[in-house]
Amino acid sequence: MTIRYDNRVAVVTGAGAGLGRNHALFLASRGAKIVVNDLGGAIDGSGGSTTAAEKVVEEIKAAGGEAVANTDSVATPEGAAGIIQSAIDNFGKIDILINNAGNLRDKSFSKLTPADFDAVVDVHLSGSAYTTLAAWNHMKDANYGRIVMTTSAAGLFGNFGQGNYAAAKLAVVGLMNALKQEGTKYNINVNTVAPMALTRMTEDIMSDKIKPLVKPEFVTPVVAWFCAEENTVSGDVVEAGAGYYGKVQIVEAKGTVLGGGEIPTPEEIQANYDKITDMSEAQPFHSANDAMRHIFRSVKPR
Ligand SMILES: NC(=O)c1ccc[n+]([C@@H]2O[C@H](COP(=O)([O-])OP(=O)(O)OC[C@H]3O[C@@H](n4cnc5c(N)ncnc54)[C@H](O)[C@@H]3O)[C@@H](O)[C@H]2O)c1
């Protein structure tokens, strides 16, 4: 059956360009009413204009869809509340939230200032948290919600010159991990996409050879799946780009017990480091409690 979003209301942050624009156009083409949010600023987040969001609204309307523009910043609690309120005021509810807005201030760590760090954390991490906070109780009361976070390979695996961005991008996975626990009983699913696509954010770092392969359109289908009523999964991270889709997961080694009840020395850690870091029997955990249980089972085998 074709997945559709009729009678669903979606907020897409940073939807004036790039990936967010594609997510918004696609959900609208399948029946969702959209709040197209975008500050309309430069890549570092400075400045702002109404045109980016309005242009996408015009595109959606021209294709027969329903949308309104919003130019609040996700990076303040008031701005984020305004974005969600725009969904309530215009369409009466909020079913879907795609946290996509993003900025960059790439610098090697020796040159990074606290202001550069905060500017990026404010948008990616605090912005995702503030919009989600503003939407959460509406979703809880409605017993329905689909939330998507946007992470990055830079945060999941590391990237030179992106200490601020990598920290913020992995932090949204932590936010998802907590919310998947809290949302399940209210039918609120929270999942995360790790995109790879040609946008203004990546045009300077991608070679001309790969540029035609990494259309933003390739990322949208997995985001659209996460937003579907049919999706019952919560807490997944999927990397997507150029037609590739693959789950990314944090796993823990089987581990080993040292010291026999006594405190081991650093030399014992050194001698056993291969065992500690042997990932051949690594496993994921659904929660911190599961990870704790694994430790106690290892220490006191039944
Ligand atoms: N393009 C990639 O390969 C890639 C890779 C990994 C992660 N991402 C993530 O995907 C998301 C979308 O990025 P993109 O590549 O489409 O870049 P983009 O620059 O085209 O889109 C980001 C949009 O967010 C908007 N924005 C910035 N700050 C905002 C704020 N405070 N409030 C509201 N809107 C704001 C910008 O105006 C811009 O239109 C970002 O979170 C980015 O970190 C992209």
Side-chain angles (χ1 to χ4, degrees):
M1 266 251 296
T2 305
I3 291 169
R4 290 197 56 89
Y5 309 92
D6 301 301
N7 303 315
R8 294 289 177 206
V9 176
V11 166
V12 186
T13 69
L19 289 160
R21 172 180 165 272
N22 263 289
H23 303 335
L25 288 172
F26 184 81
L27 292 191
S29 77
R30 296 278 182 105
K33 299 178 182 110
I34 313 282
V35 175
V36 177
N37 159 261
D38 206 298
L39 193 62
I43 200 158
D44 66 357
S46 62
S49 86
T50 52
T51 47
E54 273 166 7
K55 267 192 195 158
V56 175
V57 168
E58 288 318 312
E59 280 184 87
I60 290 173
K61 285 185 175 165
E66 267 188 82
V68 293
N70 172 284
T71 55
D72 289 328
S73 172
V74 297
T76 67
E78 301 75 29
I83 297 167
I84 302 304
Q85 196 56 44
S86 169
I88 307 294
D89 291 346
N90 287 285
F91 304 125
K93 58 179 186 154
I94 165 89
D95 300 301
I96 295 166
L97 169 61
I98 302 176
N99 285 309
N100 165 84
N103 60 346
L104 283 180
R105 295 219 183 160
D106 292 357
K107 276 176 197 168
S108 60
F109 208 62
S110 60
K111 296 193 181 114
L112 197 75
T113 64
D116 294 325
F117 190 81
D118 290 347
V120 168
V121 170
D122 286 352
V123 175
H124 293 274
L125 172 58
S126 303
S128 300
Y130 294 153
T131 53
T132 304
L133 269 171
W136 191 261
N137 285 341
H138 292 291
M139 291 180 169
K140 195 175 149 193
D141 292 345
N143 206 40
Y144 189 84
R146 298 289 181 266
I147 299 171
V148 180
M149 304 288 176
T150 306
T151 185
S152 165
L156 295 168
F157 307 115
N159 202 21
F160 187 95
Q162 291 198 308
N164 48 1
Y165 182 73
K169 282 312 212 186
L170 194 54
V172 299
V173 177
L175 178 60
M176 173 196 76
N177 282 337
L179 299 187
K180 78 176 180 201
Q181 315 279 346
E182 297 188 29
T184 307
K185 71 175 173 194
Y186 304 111
N187 193 16
I188 304 173
N189 298 342
V190 192
N191 292 288
T192 299
V193 66
M196 187 190 61
L198 176 64
T199 65
R200 73 172 182 175
M201 225 181 232
T202 50
E203 64 191 352
D204 293 340
I205 55 165
M206 281 184 177
S207 71
D208 288 343
K209 207 169 138 194
I210 67 162
K211 277 181 180 173
L213 305 177
V214 285
K215 294 188 182 77
E217 285 85 342
F218 280 122
V219 177
T220 296
V222 71
V223 172
W225 166 243
F226 286 153
C227 295
E229 191 172 345
E230 292 86 340
N231 170 45
T232 54
V233 165
S234 195
D236 273 357
V237 179
V238 171
E239 183 148 33
Y244 166 87
Y245 305 91
K247 177 166 166 160
V248 180
Q249 195 164 38
I250 294 174
V251 296
E252 183 163 330
K254 186 177 177 210
T256 189
V257 177
L258 302 175
E262 302 301 318
I263 312 292
T265 60
E267 291 75 16
E268 282 173 271
I269 302 288
Q270 179 187 27
N272 289 283
Y273 204 65
D274 283 352
K275 265 193 221 161
I276 294 170
T277 57
D278 176 1
M279 301 306 283
S280 59
E281 292 178 66
Q283 56 179 323
F285 294 113
H286 183 69
S287 66
N289 278 342
D290 287 354
M292 219 153 64
R293 258 179 236 121
H294 169 70
I295 293 178
F296 286 117
R297 269 194 215 116
S298 306
V299 175
K300 277 194 170 178
R302 281 184 242 173

